[in-house]
Amino acid sequence: MSVLLTVENLNVSYGAIKAVQDVNFVVNNNEIVSLIGANGAGKTTILRTISGLENPTKGRILFENQNLLTMNSERIVSSGVAQVPEGRRVFSGMTVQENLQLGAFTRSKGINLKDEYALIYDQFPILKERRNQDAATLSGGEQQMLAMGRALMAQPKLLLLDEPSMGLAPLFIEKIFDIIKNVNAQGMTVLVIEQNANQALKIADRGYVLESGKITMTGTGADLLASDDVRKAYLGG
Ligand code: ATP
């Protein structure tokens, strides 16, 4: 299996707070890797550092042998890394399709995006139905789909998902994780961070457990789901 992303000895601080300490992990091509951990464990900080939004105090992040730490966030997107931020953040006052269009901003301007929209609408039929609606009128689950669709418009090689289940009803959570599996089955490599350990590990090829900024366990999704330590700490016993 070939490695797509390598995070090496990563350390990130906010002033005196050491949010991420000596973190090492890899994401191989075509995998779903889940990084699970409680509130405040440092998950979002890791994703934001990969996307170029935070500066580490130490460490390396290699994506296809390029060092992402030398690039700004726009170049990181162009090189093939797209992030779906926590809390979805769709743009209100713009239609669903205009939101999707924004996802293609790093690709050549003025290109006809008809085929790209069609691909997204195949994956998310509800977005096609609502394409001319203001994005703010979508339900939470639909907004999560739009945020994912927007990231996919950049045609990334690696999709970063920040807590896709947050704030969604159980039925929508199932649906979002089904979609993540689908997108992965079509060849997309996915790194997902989640507090919902159960769902995130169910779909994961491999997972990592993050506690207070450090990785404390790793294994296949199935192994972690079956682990007593993970069950006690994250799955209610
Ligand atoms: P959550 O699930 O709440 O998003 P998380 O695992 O993603 O949690 P982070 O948001 O990465 O965790 O936060 C890690 C630590 O860094 C926490 O102690 C948090 O309070 C702190 N932190 C995060 N962002 C900042 C910031 N901008 N300034 C100061 N401290 C921060």
Side-chain angles (χ1 to χ4, degrees):
M1 223 184 277
S2 56
V3 176
L4 184 61
L5 180 82
T6 306
V7 171
E8 240 175 54
N9 196 24
L10 191 70
N11 287 262
V12 190
S13 295
Y14 301 102
I17 300 169
K18 292 184 173 163
V20 174
Q21 296 180 61
D22 301 327
V23 161
N24 291 282
F25 67 93
V26 296
V27 180
N28 296 307
N29 267 305
N30 292 115
E31 275 188 318
I32 299 180
V33 172
S34 294
L35 200 59
I36 62 163
N39 212 340
K43 304 180 300 297
T44 299
T45 301
I46 292 175
L47 274 208
R48 286 176 54 82
T49 310
I50 297 170
S51 293
L53 302 169
E54 303 289 349
N55 288 315
T57 49
K58 227 167 57 183
R60 287 207 304 172
I61 301 180
L62 298 177
F63 177 71
E64 292 189 314
N65 297 321
Q66 302 176 79
N67 182 3
L68 294 188
L69 297 181
T70 62
M71 301 182 194
N72 65 21
S73 46
E74 186 167 340
R75 255 194 77 209
I76 291 172
V77 179
S78 309
S79 74
V81 180
Q83 183 176 342
V84 181
E86 189 173 3
R88 304 181 274 279
R89 290 200 216 113
V90 300
F91 294 96
S92 55
M94 296 175 81
T95 66
V96 165
Q97 187 153 307
E98 285 164 350
N99 268 268
L100 290 178
Q101 186 184 1
L102 283 180
F105 81 101
T106 53
R107 300 175 36 223
S108 52
K109 305 211 163 61
I111 55 168
N112 185 346
L113 295 173
K114 217 167 134 243
D115 294 346
E116 280 84 348
Y117 293 136
L119 278 174
I120 302 297
Y121 293 147
D122 267 358
Q123 188 69 249
F124 307 97
I126 191 77
L127 295 184
K128 184 174 188 182
E129 266 175 50
R130 308 219 185 286
R131 66 187 178 280
N132 296 319
Q133 242 169 268
D134 189 315
T137 65
L138 301 182
S139 74
E142 290 162 357
Q143 289 190 11
Q144 180 63 49
M145 291 181 204
L146 178 54
M148 281 175 67
R150 190 177 60 203
L152 291 171
M153 286 293 286
Q155 299 190 337
K157 295 173 191 153
L158 174 65
L159 188 65
L160 306 176
L161 297 169
D162 191 342
E163 304 214 18
S165 78
M166 188 153 72
L168 299 184
L171 204 68
F172 261 122
I173 294 178
E174 293 272 337
K175 198 162 180 164
I176 290 294
F177 280 96
D178 279 349
I179 290 169
I180 297 169
K181 273 221 82 112
N182 258 334
V183 168
N184 171 253
Q186 290 169 16
M188 183 64 61
T189 307
V190 179
L191 173 62
V192 57
I193 65 171
E194 260 297 344
Q195 287 189 47
N196 188 332
N198 186 35
Q199 292 287 352
L201 292 176
K202 260 194 205 157
I203 63 159
D205 295 298
R206 292 184 309 106
Y208 295 87
V209 178
L210 194 70
E211 284 173 37
S212 307
K214 294 182 179 158
I215 287 177
T216 53
M217 269 184 273
T218 180
T220 65
D223 285 348
L224 289 175
L225 264 180
S227 135
D228 282 346
D229 289 340
V230 172
R231 299 204 74 80
K232 277 193 205 111
Y234 301 101
L235 301 168

